[in-house]
Amino acid sequence: MRTASYYVRGLLRQLVPYGVANRRRARLMAGATSCQHLMEIDWRAAYYNKLVQSFDAGQAPRIVDVSKKRSRYFLDLDEASRGFGPSLRLDYLFGDVTHVPDRPTVVKSRPIAGENANSVLLKLNHLRHFKWSSDPLKFRNKAPAAVWRGAAHNSQRVSLVRTFYNHPQFDIGHTSGQLDDLPPKSWLTHAEQKRYKFFISLEGNDVATNLKWGMASNMLVMSPRLQFETWFMEGLLKPGIHFVLLKDDLSDLEDKVDYFTAHPDAAEKIIGNAHKWISMFTDPRKERIIAMRVLETYFRLSGQL
């Protein structure tokens, strides 16, 4: 139902004239000046769009010409940009972006390390990445084991499966293809994974999609060092505060599970901090304001506003 309503809203938005969308944006932005979240809006918008110098977007596509081939990306970008009119220009890249473009470009994901200002983050493909549900089972009432399911398509995921596939305490397995002599295991729903205390999150093509809903649960999220970030601001997540940091080779997984099994108070403190982080992304009005502020800076620095 959520997916259907998302597409219905997106398609209805296409019927709204640009002039009407512009007036709605103006009202929304005017009201933001007295918003109780103004400080958060300011720093988040500046984090997503780090550009400070003028640039030329004269060769970029116009808003009206943005590709519709990847519908979720298009609809999310349209929601943020429609109020600026059809003729303003912006560069964009849809999909899992792991490099920094040569010129300022709207993307879903970017590397955390290094100079990444040309990667301007928006909340793209949010239906997949920002989807979570409540977790009725408290941490202390969950099974004292670690869980992971996913496609073993990079070295870190392959290492996890090879090392812990047959672990007597963990429920770890890949879900497609044959890995050595290890057949795929059955997929687990979010609810089935939430039966466990410890949730392993590993990056895939870019960020780990499951990091967000894992942090929204009452599981303790464990992850190696993060390399990419999205609208979720993964680059600002702190090990030991928002999640448990694992070594890149995952060799300390058993020790970390044993420690937090014996210290549930410490685990629940991290889980509580994770929930506070999640709460920043739950106000649709605030999210729209921030997205428009991000684009407003892009258009202003490119001389279009």
Side-chain angles (χ1 to χ4, degrees):
M1 181 59 70
R2 181 184 176 189
T3 300
S5 62
Y6 167 82
Y7 280 105
V8 169
R9 290 195 307 271
L11 292 174
L12 290 176
R13 193 185 311 116
Q14 304 303 297
L15 303 177
V16 177
Y18 284 104
V20 173
N22 186 281
R23 290 192 291 274
R24 290 177 178 176
R25 178 182 68 86
R27 288 196 298 269
L28 185 64
M29 301 307 284
T33 59
S34 58
C35 177
Q36 62 175 327
H37 303 294
L38 184 58
M39 289 184 62
E40 180 192 330
I41 290 171
D42 286 342
W43 75 260
R44 281 181 61 188
Y47 185 80
Y48 298 135
N49 188 340
K50 298 181 179 180
L51 298 169
V52 294
Q53 296 184 359
S54 300
F55 63 95
D56 181 13
Q59 301 303 311
R62 298 181 303 163
I63 288 175
V64 72
D65 296 323
V66 171
S67 173
K68 298 179 174 65
K69 288 183 179 180
R70 305 194 69 163
S71 59
R72 291 184 182 180
Y73 285 86
F74 165 76
L75 291 175
D76 290 342
L77 180 54
D78 178 72
E79 181 177 14
S81 64
R82 193 170 189 81
F84 291 93
S87 300
L88 272 63
R89 295 180 177 273
L90 78 160
D91 279 302
Y92 64 92
L93 283 175
F94 291 163
D96 301 329
V97 181
T98 57
H99 70 283
V100 178
D102 294 333
R103 56 184 182 269
T105 302
V106 169
V107 295
K108 181 204 73 179
S109 53
R110 69 186 178 194
I112 292 172
E115 176 53 56
N116 61 11
N118 275 353
S119 298
V120 178
L121 291 176
L122 274 186
K123 195 175 185 179
L124 302 180
N125 198 15
H126 85 267
L127 189 64
R128 177 171 184 247
H129 287 267
F130 286 81
K131 180 172 65 175
W132 49 72
S133 58
S134 61
D135 184 354
L137 195 61
K138 298 301 182 183
F139 175 80
R140 295 177 189 241
N141 297 329
K142 295 178 183 289
V147 63
W148 184 82
R149 282 295 189 280
H153 55 55
N154 62 37
S155 59
Q156 204 164 57
R157 293 181 173 205
V158 168
S159 177
L160 175 73
V161 173
R162 283 176 174 165
T163 305
F164 298 106
Y165 184 94
N166 292 311
H167 193 285
Q169 186 182 359
F170 300 164
D171 189 354
I172 291 172
H174 59 296
T175 54
S176 61
Q178 188 83 10
L179 177 59
D180 301 332
D181 61 340
L182 307 174
K185 291 186 178 181
S186 60
W187 184 257
L188 296 178
T189 66
H190 290 191
E192 289 171 332
Q193 293 180 65
K194 288 175 183 177
R195 296 179 304 191
Y196 299 96
K197 289 182 185 290
F198 304 104
F199 184 72
I200 302 168
S201 179
L202 299 180
E203 291 180 323
N205 294 326
D206 53 8
V207 296
T209 306
N210 66 6
L211 176 67
K212 303 173 186 69
W213 71 262
M215 285 179 57
S217 76
N218 291 324
M219 298 181 290
L220 182 62
V221 173
M222 296 182 162
S223 171
R225 176 176 50 90
L226 303 175
Q227 300 184 63
F228 302 103
E229 66 177 347
T230 64
W231 187 264
F232 196 60
M233 302 186 293
E234 286 90 342
L236 296 180
L237 294 175
K238 297 179 180 179
I241 303 296
H242 301 108
F243 70 99
V244 174
L245 181 67
L246 298 174
K247 293 180 180 179
D248 287 346
D249 64 2
L250 309 173
S251 61
D252 57 344
L253 175 59
E254 290 175 298
D255 289 341
K256 293 291 176 65
V257 166
D258 288 344
Y259 176 84
F260 285 102
T261 299
H263 298 85
D265 290 341
E268 289 171 340
K269 184 175 182 179
I270 294 173
I271 293 168
N273 291 332
H275 290 176
K276 290 178 183 177
W277 191 265
I278 286 286
S279 69
M280 284 195 294
F281 307 94
T282 58
D283 183 339
R285 179 175 179 271
K286 181 179 67 175
E287 298 291 277
R288 287 195 299 272
I289 292 171
I290 296 172
M292 291 178 183
R293 286 281 295 274
V294 168
L295 289 182
E296 189 175 68
T297 299
Y298 180 100
F299 293 133
R300 176 174 51 80
L301 290 176
S302 58
Q304 301 182 79
L305 287 181

